[in-house]
Every structure is written in C-alpha cells, then in structure tokens.
Amino acid sequence: MTDLAAIAAERDRLRRRYLTEPAERAPSSARGLHHMALVSGDVERTIRFYQELLEFPLTEIFENRDYPGSNHFFFDVGNGNLLAFFDFPGLDLGPYAEVLGGLHHIAISVAPAQWERLRGKLDAAGVPYQVESEVSLYFRDPDGARLELLADPLGEMYGERVG
C-alpha cells in the first residue's frame, strides 16, 4: 500500500528545496514551447480531428527530413504554440501506450465559451470524455493520445497560479 504521508512529506521537502517565490524566481532561458510532436497513424484522420473538430488550424505540412515519405505537420494551438505530428508509413509502430517517461496528456487552454462549444462538438462526434473540476475535459485523439481542454487561463490551474 502507498504511504500517502511519506509522499506528502517528500513533496513538501521538494517544494522547500526547489520552489522559489515568483518575485525571486530567475527568468526562464526559454522563449516558449515551439512545438510538441506526436505520431499520427493516419494523416487525414488527424487533420480532420484537430482542425475540424477541435478547431486548431493546420499551419503547414511537409516531408519529414529524417524519414523520406513521412509527413511532418503542424496545428496552431494559440499564442504561437504548435502541436506537431509525424506519420511513419511502412513502420509498424503499434498502438499508443502510456509508458514511464512518455506522454501522459497535453493540456490546452481554451476560453470558457470555447470549452462549452467544443464539449458540444465532442458530444456530437461521439468522442467519449471525462469532466474534472468543472473546467477540464479529458479525452483521446484518434491514435489514443490523451488531451485535456482546460477552461482556465494560461498559467492557472483550478484557480491557482502555476506559472
């Protein structure tokens, strides 16, 4: 059985050791997330899901420089951030799996009105989802990657500042 008290004590230790107050925190060396890349089992199906259902515009598609015949394509998820995909025709990569060190989910901030509208579109498309804390929708893309639409502003989660 998991020792929850020990886990909480370790989390508190890590917070005391590494977390600094915003006013004292050094600026990040990064400018932002350029793109996150996932694997697509079917390019057109992925485009329909992300562009038509979730309304993330396709911004580019070109040949993957590392694997001839493979596509590398991008969707705008706001604020200059991109969600990218590769397909790898001819490779049997198998189904999506959550593994240690792998992707758990991608959380994308949307305005509350968009959240409600997209929830309706997921319903209409028959995409199963789970609602958490009245502001998070968890669901899977056609290849099994878990997504979250979060109706909190960037830098906040469930009313708390995280960024």
Side-chain angles (χ1 to χ4, degrees):
M1 181 168 215
T2 303
D3 183 349
L4 296 179
I7 292 170
E10 176 62 4
R11 182 174 39 253
D12 289 343
R13 183 191 72 78
L14 292 171
R15 287 178 63 85
R16 285 190 308 274
R17 171 70 177 92
Y18 295 104
L19 190 62
T20 56
E21 293 298 321
E24 299 168 13
R25 195 174 300 151
S28 175
S29 63
R31 293 190 296 190
L33 182 66
H34 187 280
H35 71 274
M36 171 176 260
L38 302 173
V39 176
S40 167
D42 180 309
V43 175
E44 187 170 1
R45 179 184 69 190
T46 300
I47 292 171
R48 285 194 315 265
F49 185 83
Y50 284 92
Q51 180 167 268
E52 294 176 8
L53 183 63
L54 297 181
E55 303 174 7
F56 303 158
L58 180 71
T59 63
E60 185 58 272
I61 182 170
F62 51 81
E63 186 173 54
N64 175 5
R65 68 175 180 227
D66 302 323
Y67 188 82
S70 170
N71 293 291
H72 193 23
F73 52 109
F74 301 80
F75 297 94
D76 178 356
V77 293
N79 290 306
N81 298 296
L82 300 167
L83 184 59
F85 289 85
F86 293 104
D87 71 330
F88 293 106
L91 296 181
D92 183 17
L93 299 178
Y96 175 84
E98 289 181 13
V99 297
L100 188 60
L103 175 71
H104 184 268
H105 74 278
I106 301 169
I108 299 170
S109 176
V110 295
Q114 302 291 68
W115 188 90
E116 287 292 343
R117 194 168 49 67
L118 292 172
R119 180 179 182 176
K121 289 182 79 173
L122 291 170
D123 282 332
V127 175
Y129 58 82
Q130 178 179 342
V131 177
E132 292 291 334
S133 302
E134 301 179 21
V135 294
S136 291
L137 281 175
Y138 289 93
F139 56 98
R140 293 190 182 273
D141 82 355
D143 288 301
R146 189 188 330 235
L147 302 170
E148 175 187 11
L149 295 180
L150 184 62
D152 280 337
L154 290 171
E156 290 184 21
M157 188 163 187
Y158 309 137
E160 297 290 327
R161 191 85 187 134
V162 294

